[in-house]
Amino acid sequence: MRVRVRFFAGFRELLGNEIIAEVSEGTTLPDLIHQIALKNREGHNAIFDEHGHFREYVILMRNARRIDIADAAKHIVADGDDIAVFPPVAGG
Amino acid sequence: MISIQTGDVDISRLIHDAKQRGIGAIVIFDGIVRNDDIREMELEAYEEVALHELEKIARDATEQFNLQHVDIIHRIGRLAVGENILIIVVGAGHREEAYRGSRFIIEAIKAGVPIWKKELTKNGGRWVPGEHGHGLGSLR
């Protein structure tokens, strides 16, 4: 099963722009991002707190729809998913 | 026109095109790279979501303030001090609607459109923090 994970802004600088990940059945959204973020400790620490929970400012989108970080563990990723992870927005 | 683009726009052309029968007021918002002791500003967007959200904001503003014309052009890429970042052109029958519609649009963009700014300084760079802690307040 293959999914795309994109990071933006400061997260992108630490973890890369776009990662195509092979995942196994039953992988949750936090597990997926955790596995990818492990490649860079600073990037991991920017997204997860010391308990492994998403930091409160992290924004997640799955297939262009916002996912509440409190509910992220309920999301089992599916083949073809497009996941975005980013910090608070600052346009305008 | 609703657009996310690297290039600049001709604001006088936008004003010209906004003028139509029934328009009594046009309000222009032009957000500019401010000289906060920076060299350049770099802007980045989650483009497909940001564009969709700008279109939604334009529709909401049009409906809520009875606007007759809306342009939103948000630039991305590297911009020098003094360059345009965001141009909003709002046309309405009367000034009150035009002013309120313009204000609604800029505040909605700052609250919920996935775009980020990095100020590039002689010592490196710093990401501009969002005004709204969580951002994307309107996206569901």
Side-chain angles (χ1 to χ4, degrees):
Chain A
M1 207 167 53
R2 183 174 285 193
V3 300
R4 177 165 75 155
V5 180
R6 287 188 281 176
F7 297 98
F8 292 94
F11 296 170
R12 172 186 55 74
E13 290 182 323
L14 296 166
L15 295 165
N17 178 38
E18 177 178 317
I19 288 104
I20 304 296
E22 291 287 346
V23 296
S24 53
E25 290 284 340
T27 301
T28 66
L29 201 46
D31 286 343
L32 168 68
I33 297 164
H34 174 74
Q35 287 164 21
I36 293 170
L38 280 176
K39 70 179 182 181
N40 180 298
R41 173 179 280 191
E42 195 180 349
H44 187 275
N45 291 346
I47 293 173
F48 295 99
D49 66 17
E50 62 274 22
H51 304 294
H53 301 135
F54 284 113
R55 295 192 183 277
E56 55 89 21
Y57 55 76
V58 172
I59 300 168
L60 300 176
M61 296 190 87
R62 180 184 185 189
N63 301 325
R65 294 187 67 83
R66 175 112 183 237
I67 301 294
D68 190 328
I69 55 173
D71 295 332
K74 297 176 187 169
H75 286 260
I76 309 295
V77 296
D79 189 42
D81 268 355
D82 187 3
I83 310 295
V85 187
F86 49 87
V89 302
Chain B
M1 174 167 64
I2 310 294
S3 175
I4 295 171
Q5 61 188 54
T6 54
D8 204 358
V9 290
D10 180 348
I11 295 176
S12 62
R13 183 75 201 173
L14 293 176
I15 295 169
H16 176 270
D17 292 347
K19 289 182 179 175
Q20 54 188 278
R21 189 182 175 90
I23 291 266
I26 292 176
V27 168
I28 316 295
F29 174 87
D30 184 4
I32 300 163
V33 180
R34 190 173 49 240
N35 189 359
D36 285 340
D37 199 22
I38 66 172
R39 298 165 80 164
E40 290 181 301
M41 181 171 276
E42 189 169 286
L43 290 103
E44 172 179 339
Y46 181 4
E47 280 194 57
E48 59 267 44
V49 172
L51 187 61
H52 180 266
E53 188 65 4
L54 290 180
E55 289 167 347
K56 181 176 182 300
I57 290 167
R59 284 196 304 273
D60 290 348
T62 297
E63 187 177 322
Q64 197 169 331
F65 301 100
N66 197 29
L67 305 180
Q68 296 179 40
H69 185 94
V70 174
D71 291 317
I72 306 173
I73 296 98
H74 204 307
R75 295 180 67 197
I76 55 174
R78 281 203 178 193
L79 302 179
V81 169
E83 283 201 74
N84 299 321
I85 301 173
L86 169 65
I87 296 106
I88 301 170
V89 179
V90 166
H94 303 278
R95 69 183 185 281
E96 181 70 14
E97 296 146 349
Y99 273 122
R100 291 177 66 203
S102 179
R103 185 63 189 257
F104 172 90
I105 291 169
I106 179 61
E107 297 304 333
I109 290 170
K110 285 191 169 289
V113 179
I115 296 175
W116 301 268
K117 293 186 285 209
K118 186 174 189 179
E119 294 174 339
L120 305 178
T121 68
K122 60 184 178 185
N123 299 318
R126 54 182 181 243
W127 289 98
V128 176
E131 293 182 5
H132 301 260
H134 293 270
L136 291 189
S138 63
L139 276 182
R140 287 291 180 269

